[in-house]
Amino acid sequence: MKISIIGGAGYIGLITGLGLAQLGHKVTNIDIAEEKIKTLLNGKSPIYEEHIESVLENCLSSGNINFTTDPSDSISDSDIIIIAVGTPSNKGGDIDLTQIKSAIEQIKSNFKTYKVVVMKSTVPLDAVELMRQEFSKQHQEGKDFDIVSNPEFLREGKAVFDFFNPERIVIGTNSEKAFKLIEEMYRDLIDRKKGLDEISQENKKIPVLKTSLASAQMIKYGSNAFLATRISFINELAELCEYVGADINEVSKGMGLDSRIGESYLQPGPGFGGPCLEKDLNALNALAKNRGLFLKIFKEVLERNNVQIDEIIRKIKKSVSINESLITIWGLSFKAGTDDIRNSSSVRLIENLSTLNAKIKVFDPVATFNSPISKDLEIFEDPYLSVEDSDILVIMTEWPDFLEYDYSRIFQSMRGKNIVDARNILNSSFIKALGFSYSGIGVI
Ligand code: UGA
């Protein structure tokens, strides 16, 4: 099949395009970001992501993928157009549709044969309605075009794995013809006939769910909001655990063994970050508000997440006086496995500590700031140099690398012997035995 992806150098567009090209389709990834397109044509990925370089190499050498800034030829030739542009939040929490509108314009100006237009970007139904109205000015739905919502559930850092191992494929549309075409697009993935050699695949077929457009979008919003709710829930329970002498790691394990609850997204930490969970909760709040509804849970989940940074600061203050201290922070990205620092709890912490006049040293194995955010901040490429003379070490991202380091050496070079482990990744007994004062989340 011939497929065009608008927003093809962005996170979702790129992974989706490469995944579909690996399945054997002829894919053109279109993007206005010229530099990224050049980088991709040179066989390099503009994002840090496991497996991406090898799938890029496969697809460029098979000739199944092309990258371009020019939408015209590929859109008019394609059967399927996937919209994967960014959907940032406005101040009020609702979604800024600027990039979606530009994608609609690009499709309108290159509309020839029947097309299925697939919305991958996470947007409320209003955006789909807008698209329908715009296309319907010159074309007939069902005859010239159909619209599908096919949400993605890719996690940054595991996105290539997730593309080839989806737990479900949701196809939301009111057109049987469009449903069949999109199901066909995924056929070899659904039947596990094709994948990526280096990623092991389970044998069981992938469930395909046919829904209405509105339900497909709510499945996406609901999933992210539910994951965020679990994280806020466990962080709240962790706070209480500290006051009753319980250990949240044991509590979370014990709860997760109940199959009705399950183990995932019960890891306490510095609060959820990244470009998705908070944005989607804000979008649900904005949707409710615009419809005159007074919903409560989404707001509380966000509120709990906002105070989680105060919890970390409280722990730091228990050990040192912030404005007189040298504080080392390990981890900048919003989670391990990615260089993405958007909406990262670590960045939030750094901003807060900077306003409290702390001197800060930062180390992350992969991520960095594009531009310096404070004169009192130093970035290190060596973990050991980053802790020299520090009063306290705060671990904000769960990089496995942090488990490999020599903590006796770290103990020797630090001035204060304090560790706040905001991810509960270290072996606390071992760290305490070295002489550190250790503080995790929800543990005593
Ligand atoms: C999330 C969803 O997990 C994906 O399914 C979805 O496709 C994606 O948003 C999206 O909408 O595009 P992602 O933003 O990559 O994926 O991040 P997650 O892996 O879900 O983690 C989000 C945050 O929660 C991170 O800061 C992570 O450290 C934190 N987290 C996660 C916890 O604090 N505890 C947990 O137990 C799990």
Side-chain angles (χ1 to χ4, degrees), residues 63-275:
N64 282 351
I65 194 130
N66 186 27
F67 298 98
T68 179
T69 51
D70 177 9
S72 46
D73 287 348
S74 67
I75 291 186
S76 47
D77 280 359
S78 293
D79 318 300
I80 296 169
I81 321 283
I82 297 178
I83 299 181
V85 295
T87 50
S89 294
N90 283 325
K91 275 208 178 100
D94 48 2
I95 299 297
D96 174 353
L97 295 180
T98 314
Q99 294 181 51
I100 295 281
K101 285 179 184 161
S102 143
I104 294 173
E105 283 310 312
Q106 289 178 35
I107 300 170
K108 270 173 72 183
S109 358
N110 296 289
F111 218 122
K112 289 202 180 115
T113 48
Y114 169 79
K115 301 206 177 307
V116 172
V117 181
V118 178
M119 189 63 93
K120 265 277 172 216
S121 305
T122 307
V123 283
L125 202 59
D126 306 1
V128 171
E129 278 312 318
L130 175 81
M131 182 155 84
R132 175 174 283 131
Q133 279 167 22
E134 286 299 316
F135 293 162
S136 299
K137 286 180 184 165
Q138 285 162 356
H139 305 280
Q140 196 183 334
E141 189 169 3
K143 180 170 157 284
D144 303 320
F145 74 92
D146 277 305
I147 298 176
V148 167
S149 169
N150 170 223
E152 55 81 23
F153 303 101
L154 310 175
R155 293 163 299 168
E156 288 193 24
K158 295 269 176 256
V160 178
F161 175 89
D162 287 347
F163 181 89
F164 290 106
N165 289 285
E167 300 204 38
R168 74 290 208 196
I169 292 175
V170 175
I171 305 176
T173 182
N174 48 18
S175 155
E176 193 55 33
K177 183 172 160 189
F179 169 76
K180 291 231 165 76
L181 195 71
I182 300 306
E183 193 183 32
E184 229 19 65
M185 177 176 88
Y186 287 117
R187 174 60 56 208
D188 286 342
L189 188 62
I190 295 167
D191 296 341
R192 301 285 191 182
K193 286 202 180 124
K194 287 188 186 157
L196 189 66
D197 287 346
E198 64 206 71
I199 293 177
S200 59
Q201 290 191 170
E202 284 179 38
N203 273 332
K204 67 174 194 306
K205 268 181 104 176
I206 294 158
V208 176
L209 198 62
K210 182 176 184 298
T211 69
S212 68
L213 274 155
S215 301
Q217 283 164 310
M218 272 302 166
I219 290 171
K220 168 69 192 205
Y221 276 123
S223 301
N224 273 0
F226 192 69
L227 295 174
T229 305
R230 286 176 69 106
I231 299 166
S232 277
F233 180 92
I234 207 72
N235 283 338
E236 187 135 309
L237 197 63
E239 190 174 337
L240 189 57
C241 278
E242 287 180 24
Y243 289 89
V244 299
D247 178 329
I248 193 67
N249 298 322
E250 292 172 356
V251 174
S252 162
K253 190 167 179 199
M255 286 171 60
L257 284 171
D258 184 329
S259 64
R260 293 169 303 172
I261 297 173
E263 290 172 1
S264 60
Y265 285 79
L266 284 186
Q267 174 67 40
F272 53 81

Side-chain angles (χ1 to χ4, degrees), residues 1-10 13-14 16-22 24-31 36-43 55-75 77-78:
M1 283 178 188
K2 286 190 184 162
I3 301 165
S4 286
I5 304 199
I6 305 179
L14 180 56
T16 306
L18 290 173
L20 292 171
Q22 176 76 22
H25 299 297
K26 291 279 176 212
V27 183
T28 305
N29 277 30
I30 307 159
D31 207 292
K36 288 187 182 173
I37 292 291
K38 268 193 217 150
T39 309
L40 285 160
L41 286 169
N42 286 327
V55 69
L56 177 62
E57 192 185 322
N58 287 350
C59 297
L60 284 171
S61 58
S62 68
N64 282 351
I65 194 130
N66 186 27
F67 298 98
T68 179
T69 51
D70 177 9
S72 46
D73 287 348
S74 67
I75 291 186
D77 280 359
S78 293

